[in-house]
Amino acid sequence: PNNHIVDNERKRTTDVLLGVTQVMSTHDIVQLNLGHSSGSGYYSDPYKVMDERPRERRHTTLMARWNHHFEGTGGTLRSSYRYYTDSFDVRAHTLAFEYVQPLTQGWTVTPQLRLYTQTKARFYVDADASAGPFPPNPPAGWTYYTEDQRLSAFGARTLGLKVAKQIDANWTMDVKYEQYSQRAAWTLDGGGSPGLAPFYARSIQLGVSRQF
């Protein structure tokens, strides 16, 4: 690791998940999940020069799902909302939609949309591009600090499309395309971390599945 100080570090976490699923009607299923994680150990990133994080982290998630089947089109809307909070002071919201539309001859088309926003960790240090190539020193008196963009304040959106083909009773093939965009200004309050550069990514996934 870059910091040359990590030796025999460990991290232990305990996760608990409680979920309830209810069939509301012949067309609707809802689900509510509550999760909690508690961990201790080494949470810093050893591959970043300026990164010192607390040795304990707890987070709680609340997720609600609703699947609705449309009789007229034969399609199904899958919607979900997830709230996340942790001891680093990160608060996040995720809203996702998928619409599964069966077509003829075993084809299925699934457009997807996912919206995400989060606040920054209390010890996040905003990047300063003018100070390159080296990051600025931690603020005076800070015990913990990080420039990891994953702990900054930002918003993101993902657009996707999945096309699947049922080959026979057991085999299915699919291809999925996603376009991910991330910006600081897309946080829920519109502020975000000003030093965070926009980020874009595209991915293509190919899949083959078999039922047993």
Side-chain angles (χ1 to χ4, degrees):
N2 288 341
N3 57 21
H4 301 291
I5 62 174
V6 181
D7 182 24
N8 199 31
E9 286 283 4
R10 296 170 182 255
K11 179 173 65 177
R12 181 186 296 273
T13 61
T14 300
D15 297 304
V16 179
L17 177 66
L18 176 65
V20 177
T21 303
Q22 177 67 46
V23 178
M24 306 299 294
S25 68
T26 57
H27 295 82
D28 296 276
I29 298 178
V30 296
Q31 183 182 79
L32 189 64
N33 291 333
L34 177 63
H36 181 75
S37 177
S38 179
S40 61
Y42 190 76
Y43 278 92
S44 302
D45 191 331
Y47 298 98
K48 288 180 169 51
V49 176
M50 194 182 76
D51 202 280
E52 185 67 34
R53 310 182 192 186
R55 296 188 66 88
E56 293 184 353
R57 188 176 190 180
R58 300 176 305 278
H59 71 254
T60 301
T61 58
L62 178 65
M63 174 174 279
R65 290 190 177 103
W66 172 40
N67 291 353
H68 177 74
H69 178 73
F70 294 90
E71 190 71 31
T73 63
T76 300
L77 176 64
R78 302 171 180 168
S79 54
S80 66
Y81 166 76
R82 178 179 182 266
Y83 175 72
Y84 170 94
T85 179
D86 68 15
S87 57
F88 288 0
D89 287 348
V90 177
R91 308 288 184 267
H93 304 267
T94 307
L95 189 62
F97 300 96
E98 293 183 351
Y99 180 73
V100 184
Q101 181 59 58
L103 304 175
T104 59
Q105 299 181 351
W107 290 93
T108 303
V109 176
T110 307
Q112 302 168 330
L113 170 65
R114 184 168 61 252
L115 304 175
Y116 179 82
T117 179
Q118 76 171 42
T119 61
K120 66 179 180 178
R122 65 178 180 277
F123 50 86
Y124 174 74
V125 181
D126 200 43
D128 183 4
S130 64
F134 302 105
N137 294 323
W142 283 37
T143 303
Y144 305 113
Y145 41 85
T146 183
E147 284 189 331
D148 191 336
Q149 60 88 18
R150 293 169 295 182
L151 294 177
S152 66
F154 67 90
R157 67 186 181 193
T158 305
L159 300 174
L161 180 64
K162 180 179 178 180
V163 179
K165 168 65 173 174
Q166 187 78 35
I167 305 301
D168 54 30
N170 298 320
W171 290 92
T172 304
M173 300 183 64
D174 65 78
V175 57
K176 181 179 180 181
Y177 171 82
E178 285 189 344
Q179 180 171 301
Y180 175 86
S181 303
Q182 173 184 301
R183 293 184 184 178
W186 288 351
T187 52
L188 198 60
D189 61 3
S193 300
L196 189 66
F199 178 75
Y200 304 93
R202 297 174 182 175
S203 66
I204 298 178
Q205 303 175 36
L206 301 177
V208 179
S209 61
R210 183 182 188 277
Q211 296 182 2
F212 295 92

